[in-house]
mmCIF file of all heavy atoms in Angstrom:
data_model
loop_
_atom_site.group_PDB
_atom_site.id
_atom_site.type_symbol
_atom_site.label_atom_id
_atom_site.label_comp_id
_atom_site.label_asym_id
_atom_site.label_seq_id
_atom_site.Cartn_x
_atom_site.Cartn_y
_atom_site.Cartn_z
ATOM 1 N N TRP A 171 56.446 68.295 151.081
ATOM 2 C CA TRP A 171 55.943 69.395 150.214
ATOM 3 C C TRP A 171 57.095 70.360 149.950
ATOM 4 O O TRP A 171 57.287 71.284 150.663
ATOM 5 C CB TRP A 171 54.701 70.041 150.996
ATOM 6 C CG TRP A 171 53.655 69.188 151.218
ATOM 7 C CD1 TRP A 171 53.365 67.884 150.741
ATOM 8 C CD2 TRP A 171 52.519 69.475 152.123
ATOM 9 N NE1 TRP A 171 52.291 67.375 151.170
ATOM 10 C CE2 TRP A 171 51.669 68.235 151.936
ATOM 11 C CE3 TRP A 171 52.079 70.495 152.850
ATOM 12 C CZ2 TRP A 171 50.450 68.144 152.795
ATOM 13 C CZ3 TRP A 171 50.919 70.428 153.541
ATOM 14 C CH2 TRP A 171 50.094 69.407 153.570
ATOM 15 N N MET A 172 57.541 70.202 148.766
ATOM 16 C CA MET A 172 58.633 71.160 148.326
ATOM 17 C C MET A 172 58.222 71.922 147.109
ATOM 18 O O MET A 172 58.387 73.256 147.054
ATOM 19 C CB MET A 172 59.892 70.338 147.916
ATOM 20 C CG MET A 172 60.499 69.640 149.089
ATOM 21 S SD MET A 172 61.893 68.585 148.589
ATOM 22 C CE MET A 172 63.096 69.907 148.209
ATOM 23 N N THR A 173 57.679 71.254 146.052
ATOM 24 C CA THR A 173 57.503 71.782 144.790
ATOM 25 C C THR A 173 56.207 73.011 144.751
ATOM 26 O O THR A 173 55.283 72.563 145.464
ATOM 27 C CB THR A 173 57.038 70.733 143.826
ATOM 28 O OG1 THR A 173 58.029 69.709 143.889
ATOM 29 C CG2 THR A 173 56.953 71.336 142.355
ATOM 30 N N GLU A 174 56.572 74.054 144.174
ATOM 31 C CA GLU A 174 55.547 75.075 144.077
ATOM 32 C C GLU A 174 55.442 75.553 142.570
ATOM 33 O O GLU A 174 56.173 75.032 141.663
ATOM 34 C CB GLU A 174 56.006 76.370 144.901
ATOM 35 C CG GLU A 174 55.867 75.957 146.466
ATOM 36 C CD GLU A 174 55.819 77.083 147.294
ATOM 37 O OE1 GLU A 174 55.631 78.205 146.902
ATOM 38 O OE2 GLU A 174 56.037 76.933 148.528
ATOM 39 N N ARG A 175 54.468 76.344 142.249
ATOM 40 C CA ARG A 175 54.243 76.676 140.760
ATOM 41 C C ARG A 175 55.551 77.250 140.238
ATOM 42 O O ARG A 175 56.027 77.100 139.097
ATOM 43 C CB ARG A 175 53.135 77.615 140.600
ATOM 44 C CG ARG A 175 51.828 76.770 140.616
ATOM 45 C CD ARG A 175 50.596 77.740 140.305
ATOM 46 N NE ARG A 175 50.623 78.876 141.122
ATOM 47 C CZ ARG A 175 49.785 79.116 142.117
ATOM 48 N NH1 ARG A 175 48.779 78.263 142.333
ATOM 49 N NH2 ARG A 175 49.776 80.238 142.798
ATOM 50 N N ALA A 176 56.247 77.945 141.157
ATOM 51 C CA ALA A 176 57.419 78.795 140.561
ATOM 52 C C ALA A 176 58.612 77.917 140.431
ATOM 53 O O ALA A 176 59.638 78.309 139.845
ATOM 54 C CB ALA A 176 57.735 79.849 141.731
ATOM 55 N N GLY A 177 58.439 76.582 141.004
ATOM 56 C CA GLY A 177 59.680 75.750 140.703
ATOM 57 C C GLY A 177 59.732 74.579 141.507
ATOM 58 O O GLY A 177 59.478 74.756 142.804
ATOM 59 N N GLY A 178 60.091 73.435 140.921
ATOM 60 C CA GLY A 178 60.339 72.233 141.734
ATOM 61 C C GLY A 178 61.751 71.876 141.723
ATOM 62 O O GLY A 178 62.209 71.483 142.852
ATOM 63 N N SER A 179 62.612 71.979 140.637
ATOM 64 C CA SER A 179 63.966 71.878 140.706
ATOM 65 C C SER A 179 64.664 72.899 141.526
ATOM 66 O O SER A 179 65.479 72.765 142.375
ATOM 67 C CB SER A 179 64.560 71.854 139.381
ATOM 68 O OG SER A 179 63.848 70.979 138.560
ATOM 69 N N ASP A 180 64.242 74.180 141.287
ATOM 70 C CA ASP A 180 64.708 75.237 142.040
ATOM 71 C C ASP A 180 63.723 75.810 142.933
ATOM 72 O O ASP A 180 62.665 76.418 142.458
ATOM 73 C CB ASP A 180 65.094 76.400 140.817
ATOM 74 C CG ASP A 180 65.543 77.740 141.495
ATOM 75 O OD1 ASP A 180 65.651 77.738 142.658
ATOM 76 O OD2 ASP A 180 65.618 78.759 140.756
ATOM 77 N N VAL A 181 63.873 75.525 144.150
ATOM 78 C CA VAL A 181 62.824 75.951 145.152
ATOM 79 C C VAL A 181 63.012 77.248 145.608
ATOM 80 O O VAL A 181 62.301 77.755 146.493
ATOM 81 C CB VAL A 181 62.738 74.857 146.298
ATOM 82 C CG1 VAL A 181 62.307 73.652 145.946
ATOM 83 C CG2 VAL A 181 64.078 74.792 147.015
ATOM 84 N N SER A 182 64.048 78.102 145.105
ATOM 85 C CA SER A 182 64.481 79.337 145.692
ATOM 86 C C SER A 182 63.330 80.386 145.509
ATOM 87 O O SER A 182 63.381 81.455 146.265
ATOM 88 C CB SER A 182 65.747 79.779 145.078
ATOM 89 O OG SER A 182 65.577 80.081 143.805
ATOM 90 N N ASN A 183 62.440 80.246 144.666
ATOM 91 C CA ASN A 183 61.334 81.093 144.601
ATOM 92 C C ASN A 183 60.093 80.737 145.150
ATOM 93 O O ASN A 183 59.017 81.357 144.897
ATOM 94 C CB ASN A 183 61.119 81.458 142.997
ATOM 95 C CG ASN A 183 62.246 82.092 142.347
ATOM 96 O OD1 ASN A 183 62.818 83.092 142.890
ATOM 97 N ND2 ASN A 183 62.534 81.732 141.192
ATOM 98 N N SER A 184 60.008 79.829 145.975
ATOM 99 C CA SER A 184 58.855 79.282 146.841
ATOM 100 C C SER A 184 58.199 80.462 147.469
ATOM 101 O O SER A 184 58.914 81.391 148.051
ATOM 102 C CB SER A 184 59.314 78.292 147.898
ATOM 103 O OG SER A 184 59.816 77.161 147.214
ATOM 104 N N GLU A 185 56.855 80.461 147.255
ATOM 105 C CA GLU A 185 56.075 81.720 147.853
ATOM 106 C C GLU A 185 55.456 81.287 149.187
ATOM 107 O O GLU A 185 54.816 82.277 149.745
ATOM 108 C CB GLU A 185 55.036 81.931 146.785
ATOM 109 C CG GLU A 185 55.625 82.405 145.497
ATOM 110 C CD GLU A 185 54.590 82.436 144.255
ATOM 111 O OE1 GLU A 185 53.788 81.656 144.171
ATOM 112 O OE2 GLU A 185 54.756 83.381 143.528
ATOM 113 N N THR A 186 55.406 80.147 149.577
ATOM 114 C CA THR A 186 54.729 79.789 150.932
ATOM 115 C C THR A 186 55.433 80.568 151.944
ATOM 116 O O THR A 186 56.607 80.467 152.200
ATOM 117 C CB THR A 186 54.635 78.274 151.095
ATOM 118 O OG1 THR A 186 53.953 77.722 150.019
ATOM 119 C CG2 THR A 186 54.006 77.937 152.455
ATOM 120 N N ILE A 187 54.604 81.257 152.866
ATOM 121 C CA ILE A 187 55.235 81.930 153.933
ATOM 122 C C ILE A 187 54.733 81.360 155.274
ATOM 123 O O ILE A 187 53.692 80.683 155.425
ATOM 124 C CB ILE A 187 55.002 83.552 153.938
ATOM 125 C CG1 ILE A 187 53.384 83.734 153.854
ATOM 126 C CG2 ILE A 187 55.613 84.210 152.783
ATOM 127 C CD1 ILE A 187 53.060 85.055 154.333
ATOM 128 N N ALA A 188 55.615 81.433 156.223
ATOM 129 C CA ALA A 188 55.244 81.014 157.567
ATOM 130 C C ALA A 188 55.135 82.224 158.398
ATOM 131 O O ALA A 188 56.001 83.033 158.629
ATOM 132 C CB ALA A 188 56.356 79.991 158.130
ATOM 133 N N ARG A 189 53.914 82.440 159.147
ATOM 134 C CA ARG A 189 53.727 83.703 159.863
ATOM 135 C C ARG A 189 53.389 83.251 161.233
ATOM 136 O O ARG A 189 52.619 82.313 161.395
ATOM 137 C CB ARG A 189 52.482 84.331 159.186
ATOM 138 C CG ARG A 189 52.141 85.740 159.648
ATOM 139 C CD ARG A 189 50.987 86.358 159.013
ATOM 140 N NE ARG A 189 51.278 86.655 157.521
ATOM 141 C CZ ARG A 189 50.467 86.705 156.574
ATOM 142 N NH1 ARG A 189 49.215 86.411 156.842
ATOM 143 N NH2 ARG A 189 50.888 86.951 155.369
ATOM 144 N N LYS A 190 53.932 83.900 162.269
ATOM 145 C CA LYS A 190 53.624 83.626 163.595
ATOM 146 C C LYS A 190 52.344 84.341 163.999
ATOM 147 O O LYS A 190 52.334 85.649 164.141
ATOM 148 C CB LYS A 190 54.883 83.935 164.449
ATOM 149 C CG LYS A 190 54.885 82.955 165.749
ATOM 150 C CD LYS A 190 56.283 83.059 166.337
ATOM 151 C CE LYS A 190 56.608 81.653 166.894
ATOM 152 N NZ LYS A 190 57.937 81.731 167.515
ATOM 153 N N ILE A 191 51.411 83.532 164.499
ATOM 154 C CA ILE A 191 50.154 84.200 164.924
ATOM 155 C C ILE A 191 49.873 83.635 166.279
ATOM 156 O O ILE A 191 49.727 82.351 166.463
ATOM 157 C CB ILE A 191 49.034 83.911 163.877
ATOM 158 C CG1 ILE A 191 49.329 84.500 162.562
ATOM 159 C CG2 ILE A 191 47.673 84.384 164.433
ATOM 160 C CD1 ILE A 191 48.330 84.107 161.435
ATOM 161 N N ASN A 192 49.693 84.472 167.266
ATOM 162 C CA ASN A 192 49.359 84.099 168.540
ATOM 163 C C ASN A 192 50.354 82.917 169.191
ATOM 164 O O ASN A 192 49.962 81.847 169.697
ATOM 165 C CB ASN A 192 47.965 83.468 168.844
ATOM 166 C CG ASN A 192 46.932 84.716 168.561
ATOM 167 O OD1 ASN A 192 47.320 85.770 168.759
ATOM 168 N ND2 ASN A 192 45.775 84.141 167.946
ATOM 169 N N GLY A 193 51.634 83.084 168.759
ATOM 170 C CA GLY A 193 52.735 82.219 169.198
ATOM 171 C C GLY A 193 52.698 80.899 168.466
ATOM 172 O O GLY A 193 53.501 80.010 168.764
ATOM 173 N N GLU A 194 51.835 80.774 167.408
ATOM 174 C CA GLU A 194 51.961 79.605 166.553
ATOM 175 C C GLU A 194 52.262 79.897 165.169
ATOM 176 O O GLU A 194 51.959 80.888 164.662
ATOM 177 C CB GLU A 194 50.520 78.945 166.451
ATOM 178 C CG GLU A 194 50.143 78.144 167.850
ATOM 179 C CD GLU A 194 48.755 77.543 167.594
ATOM 180 O OE1 GLU A 194 48.029 78.028 166.627
ATOM 181 O OE2 GLU A 194 48.508 76.668 168.440
ATOM 182 N N TRP A 195 53.132 78.909 164.492
ATOM 183 C CA TRP A 195 53.364 79.099 163.015
ATOM 184 C C TRP A 195 52.274 78.719 162.244
ATOM 185 O O TRP A 195 51.631 77.657 162.442
ATOM 186 C CB TRP A 195 54.586 78.319 162.644
ATOM 187 C CG TRP A 195 55.915 78.773 163.236
ATOM 188 C CD1 TRP A 195 56.578 78.197 164.163
ATOM 189 C CD2 TRP A 195 56.570 79.942 162.813
ATOM 190 N NE1 TRP A 195 57.824 78.967 164.416
ATOM 191 C CE2 TRP A 195 57.746 80.010 163.633
ATOM 192 C CE3 TRP A 195 56.282 80.956 161.904
ATOM 193 C CZ2 TRP A 195 58.559 81.084 163.551
ATOM 194 C CZ3 TRP A 195 57.324 82.002 161.876
ATOM 195 C CH2 TRP A 195 58.409 82.039 162.587
ATOM 196 N N ARG A 196 51.846 79.611 161.344
ATOM 197 C CA ARG A 196 50.695 79.303 160.351
ATOM 198 C C ARG A 196 51.367 79.528 158.903
ATOM 199 O O ARG A 196 51.869 80.509 158.576
ATOM 200 C CB ARG A 196 49.596 80.306 160.547
ATOM 201 C CG ARG A 196 49.066 80.162 161.980
ATOM 202 C CD ARG A 196 48.113 79.130 162.037
ATOM 203 N NE ARG A 196 47.449 78.908 163.295
ATOM 204 C CZ ARG A 196 46.405 77.998 163.565
ATOM 205 N NH1 ARG A 196 45.888 77.397 162.541
ATOM 206 N NH2 ARG A 196 46.028 77.842 164.765
ATOM 207 N N LEU A 197 51.114 78.470 158.078
ATOM 208 C CA LEU A 197 51.474 78.634 156.657
ATOM 209 C C LEU A 197 50.457 79.035 155.638
ATOM 210 O O LEU A 197 49.216 78.777 155.773
ATOM 211 C CB LEU A 197 52.089 77.229 156.220
ATOM 212 C CG LEU A 197 53.126 76.556 157.070
ATOM 213 C CD1 LEU A 197 53.708 75.405 156.321
ATOM 214 C CD2 LEU A 197 54.219 77.489 157.581
ATOM 215 N N PHE A 198 50.980 79.974 154.702
ATOM 216 C CA PHE A 198 50.026 80.422 153.643
ATOM 217 C C PHE A 198 50.769 80.297 152.388
ATOM 218 O O PHE A 198 51.874 80.695 152.208
ATOM 219 C CB PHE A 198 49.705 81.980 153.959
ATOM 220 C CG PHE A 198 48.996 82.094 155.140
ATOM 221 C CD1 PHE A 198 49.702 82.276 156.410
ATOM 222 C CD2 PHE A 198 47.618 82.322 155.276
ATOM 223 C CE1 PHE A 198 49.110 82.629 157.718
ATOM 224 C CE2 PHE A 198 46.998 82.452 156.525
ATOM 225 C CZ PHE A 198 47.661 82.742 157.702
ATOM 226 N N GLY A 199 50.108 79.566 151.448
ATOM 227 C CA GLY A 199 50.723 79.371 150.109
ATOM 228 C C GLY A 199 50.104 78.235 149.393
ATOM 229 O O GLY A 199 49.155 77.711 149.798
ATOM 230 N N THR A 200 50.661 78.029 148.220
ATOM 231 C CA THR A 200 50.080 76.845 147.421
ATOM 232 C C THR A 200 51.250 75.822 147.043
ATOM 233 O O THR A 200 52.350 76.143 146.646
ATOM 234 C CB THR A 200 49.525 77.466 146.110
ATOM 235 O OG1 THR A 200 48.742 78.419 146.320
ATOM 236 C CG2 THR A 200 48.968 76.185 145.181
ATOM 237 N N LYS A 201 50.925 74.558 147.422
ATOM 238 C CA LYS A 201 51.962 73.516 147.086
ATOM 239 C C LYS A 201 51.305 72.837 145.986
ATOM 240 O O LYS A 201 50.161 72.276 145.934
ATOM 241 C CB LYS A 201 52.120 72.663 148.276
ATOM 242 C CG LYS A 201 52.788 73.235 149.514
ATOM 243 C CD LYS A 201 54.301 73.457 149.207
ATOM 244 C CE LYS A 201 54.994 74.167 150.351
ATOM 245 N NZ LYS A 201 56.344 74.577 150.070
ATOM 246 N N TRP A 202 52.274 72.771 144.915
ATOM 247 C CA TRP A 202 51.796 72.393 143.561
ATOM 248 C C TRP A 202 51.679 70.839 143.234
ATOM 249 O O TRP A 202 50.909 70.402 142.482
ATOM 250 C CB TRP A 202 52.792 73.228 142.540
ATOM 251 C CG TRP A 202 52.547 72.964 141.118
ATOM 252 C CD1 TRP A 202 53.533 72.584 140.252
ATOM 253 C CD2 TRP A 202 51.445 73.357 140.283
ATOM 254 N NE1 TRP A 202 53.207 72.696 138.980
ATOM 255 C CE2 TRP A 202 51.882 73.101 138.905
ATOM 256 C CE3 TRP A 202 50.208 73.739 140.546
ATOM 257 C CZ2 TRP A 202 50.966 73.292 137.908
ATOM 258 C CZ3 TRP A 202 49.233 73.972 139.542
ATOM 259 C CH2 TRP A 202 49.780 73.720 138.205
ATOM 260 N N PHE A 203 52.527 70.159 143.952
ATOM 261 C CA PHE A 203 52.465 68.690 143.893
ATOM 262 C C PHE A 203 52.618 68.106 145.244
ATOM 263 O O PHE A 203 53.618 68.375 145.908
ATOM 264 C CB PHE A 203 53.706 68.243 143.087
ATOM 265 C CG PHE A 203 53.544 68.056 141.548
ATOM 266 C CD1 PHE A 203 53.889 69.216 140.767
ATOM 267 C CD2 PHE A 203 52.984 66.993 140.920
ATOM 268 C CE1 PHE A 203 53.809 69.157 139.334
ATOM 269 C CE2 PHE A 203 52.925 66.939 139.606
ATOM 270 C CZ PHE A 203 53.375 68.038 138.831
ATOM 271 N N THR A 204 51.630 67.462 145.809
ATOM 272 C CA THR A 204 51.792 66.847 147.013
ATOM 273 C C THR A 204 51.165 65.407 146.891
ATOM 274 O O THR A 204 50.060 65.131 146.954
ATOM 275 C CB THR A 204 50.929 67.528 148.060
ATOM 276 O OG1 THR A 204 49.560 67.635 147.653
ATOM 277 C CG2 THR A 204 51.286 69.042 148.269
ATOM 278 N N SER A 205 52.171 64.491 146.890
ATOM 279 C CA SER A 205 51.741 63.025 146.702
ATOM 280 C C SER A 205 51.306 62.482 148.072
ATOM 281 O O SER A 205 51.681 62.827 149.143
ATOM 282 C CB SER A 205 52.969 62.142 146.210
ATOM 283 O OG SER A 205 53.042 62.601 144.764
ATOM 284 N N ALA A 206 50.461 61.394 147.927
ATOM 285 C CA ALA A 206 50.001 60.729 149.110
ATOM 286 C C ALA A 206 49.317 61.788 150.108
ATOM 287 O O ALA A 206 49.666 61.832 151.281
ATOM 288 C CB ALA A 206 51.165 60.058 149.777
ATOM 289 N N ILE A 207 48.283 62.456 149.618
ATOM 290 C CA ILE A 207 47.644 63.463 150.381
ATOM 291 C C ILE A 207 46.787 62.718 151.394
ATOM 292 O O ILE A 207 46.360 63.392 152.483
ATOM 293 C CB ILE A 207 46.845 64.454 149.478
ATOM 294 C CG1 ILE A 207 46.155 65.429 150.267
ATOM 295 C CG2 ILE A 207 45.771 63.651 148.529
ATOM 296 C CD1 ILE A 207 47.189 66.263 151.175
ATOM 297 N N THR A 208 46.790 61.392 151.473
ATOM 298 C CA THR A 208 45.982 60.738 152.479
ATOM 299 C C THR A 208 46.888 60.434 153.786
ATOM 300 O O THR A 208 46.551 59.878 154.772
ATOM 301 C CB THR A 208 45.324 59.307 152.009
ATOM 302 O OG1 THR A 208 46.438 58.757 151.324
ATOM 303 C CG2 THR A 208 44.274 59.569 151.102
ATOM 304 N N SER A 209 48.152 60.953 153.628
ATOM 305 C CA SER A 209 49.046 60.812 154.837
ATOM 306 C C SER A 209 48.507 61.511 156.017
ATOM 307 O O SER A 209 47.845 62.527 155.906
ATOM 308 C CB SER A 209 50.509 61.343 154.433
ATOM 309 O OG SER A 209 51.077 60.494 153.385
ATOM 310 N N GLU A 210 49.162 61.268 157.235
ATOM 311 C CA GLU A 210 48.747 61.878 158.376
ATOM 312 C C GLU A 210 49.516 63.158 158.614
ATOM 313 O O GLU A 210 49.071 63.993 159.412
ATOM 314 C CB GLU A 210 49.041 60.999 159.606
ATOM 315 C CG GLU A 210 48.027 59.849 159.723
ATOM 316 C CD GLU A 210 48.181 58.657 158.782
ATOM 317 O OE1 GLU A 210 49.148 58.689 158.025
ATOM 318 O OE2 GLU A 210 47.370 57.755 158.709
ATOM 319 N N MET A 211 50.660 63.222 157.987
ATOM 320 C CA MET A 211 51.583 64.476 158.234
ATOM 321 C C MET A 211 52.400 64.790 156.972
ATOM 322 O O MET A 211 52.420 64.075 156.074
ATOM 323 C CB MET A 211 52.547 64.098 159.423
ATOM 324 C CG MET A 211 53.342 62.865 159.222
ATOM 325 S SD MET A 211 54.890 62.743 160.274
ATOM 326 C CE MET A 211 56.090 63.926 159.296
ATOM 327 N N SER A 212 53.027 65.909 157.029
ATOM 328 C CA SER A 212 53.937 66.230 156.094
ATOM 329 C C SER A 212 55.075 67.211 156.592
ATOM 330 O O SER A 212 54.943 67.780 157.590
ATOM 331 C CB SER A 212 53.225 67.077 154.901
ATOM 332 O OG SER A 212 54.102 67.045 153.797
ATOM 333 N N MET A 213 56.238 67.186 155.721
ATOM 334 C CA MET A 213 57.247 68.010 156.022
ATOM 335 C C MET A 213 57.233 69.025 154.879
ATOM 336 O O MET A 213 57.167 68.670 153.650
ATOM 337 C CB MET A 213 58.667 67.396 156.011
ATOM 338 C CG MET A 213 58.911 66.208 156.962
ATOM 339 S SD MET A 213 58.537 66.472 158.644
ATOM 340 C CE MET A 213 59.593 67.873 158.924
ATOM 341 N N ALA A 214 57.279 70.394 155.114
ATOM 342 C CA ALA A 214 57.128 71.429 154.144
ATOM 343 C C ALA A 214 58.129 72.553 154.293
ATOM 344 O O ALA A 214 58.476 72.881 155.333
ATOM 345 C CB ALA A 214 55.678 71.912 154.272
ATOM 346 N N LEU A 215 58.419 73.095 153.084
ATOM 347 C CA LEU A 215 59.359 74.282 153.128
ATOM 348 C C LEU A 215 58.485 75.500 153.076
ATOM 349 O O LEU A 215 57.452 75.541 152.380
ATOM 350 C CB LEU A 215 60.194 74.298 151.858
ATOM 351 C CG LEU A 215 61.345 73.140 151.787
ATOM 352 C CD1 LEU A 215 62.020 73.285 150.392
ATOM 353 C CD2 LEU A 215 62.305 73.361 152.838
#
Side-chain angles (χ1 to χ4, degrees):
W171 300 349
M172 296 175 68
T173 309
E174 301 196 5
R175 284 188 302 255
S179 306
D180 173 10
V181 294
S182 65
N183 294 319
S184 296
E185 295 170 324
T186 299
I187 58 159
R189 188 176 291 151
K190 212 163 211 179
I191 300 175
N192 297 330
E194 281 179 346
W195 289 111
R196 299 279 176 167
L197 305 194
F198 298 86
T200 302
K201 291 291 176 185
W202 180 232
F203 274 91
T204 60
S205 285
I207 183 56
T208 46
S209 291
E210 286 77 5
M211 57 162 279
S212 189
M213 306 302 309
L215 292 177

